[in-house]
Amino acid sequence: MRPRVDELEAIIRSKICTVCDQRTVHGACGLPQDQGCSLFELFPYVAQAVLATKSDKIEDYIAAIRENVCPVCINQRLDGTCDRRENVTCALDSYMVPIVAAIEEATQGSGPWETNVIDLS
């Protein structure tokens, strides 16, 4: 059975939020209210980019994220630069390896790497 995007997001939250350096001592997200987490604000795009990539090299996944997710992120400038990436405060960029690994693990039984592996509705 193919995981829905909300199910996949829950899996990623359980793996990434628990180790995120923005987490408070009480376990809550420490990001300011007006500054959302780029990973989860754009999660459907993240999932699509990862699932559309079939590679054993993380560089290929990074390229897919830069090409398909970063351009729709409000934090990326028109020239392609990003303060969050540069200041290591982008969760998507900081936790790319475990994010890709978790998505691969969660969808492995769903068949080949295709963008339709998850239901984005």
Side-chain angles (χ1 to χ4, degrees):
M1 184 168 186
R2 297 176 179 177
R4 294 186 327 254
V5 73
D6 60 327
E7 294 169 331
L8 199 51
E9 183 177 331
I11 291 167
I12 299 302
R13 282 185 184 278
S14 72
K15 293 182 184 265
I16 302 303
C17 294
T18 58
V19 297
C20 182
D21 60 359
Q22 296 296 321
R23 186 176 165 172
T24 68
V25 293
H26 302 291
C29 183
L31 290 173
Q33 291 290 331
D34 62 340
Q35 179 185 337
C37 178
S38 54
L39 169 59
F40 297 111
E41 287 179 337
L42 301 169
F43 190 75
Y45 294 101
V46 173
Q48 278 189 319
V50 170
L51 294 171
T53 305
K54 183 174 181 171
S55 179
D56 58 357
K57 295 186 271 182
I58 193 64
E59 293 83 7
D60 293 335
Y61 290 95
I62 293 169
I65 294 295
R66 296 284 187 274
E67 183 179 321
N68 299 295
V69 180
C70 295
V72 296
C73 180
I74 63 169
N75 296 297
Q76 181 170 288
R77 293 183 208 95
L78 293 176
D79 67 0
T81 60
C82 176
D83 281 337
R84 284 192 178 181
R85 276 197 316 264
E86 293 164 13
N87 295 320
V88 194
T89 58
C90 173
L92 175 56
D93 199 62
S94 298
Y95 300 103
M96 181 75 68
V97 173
I99 291 165
V100 169
I103 291 174
E104 285 184 345
E105 180 182 325
T107 59
Q108 189 172 16
S110 298
W113 292 102
E114 299 175 2
T115 57
N116 64 354
V117 172
I118 59 169
D119 177 9
L120 294 177
S121 57

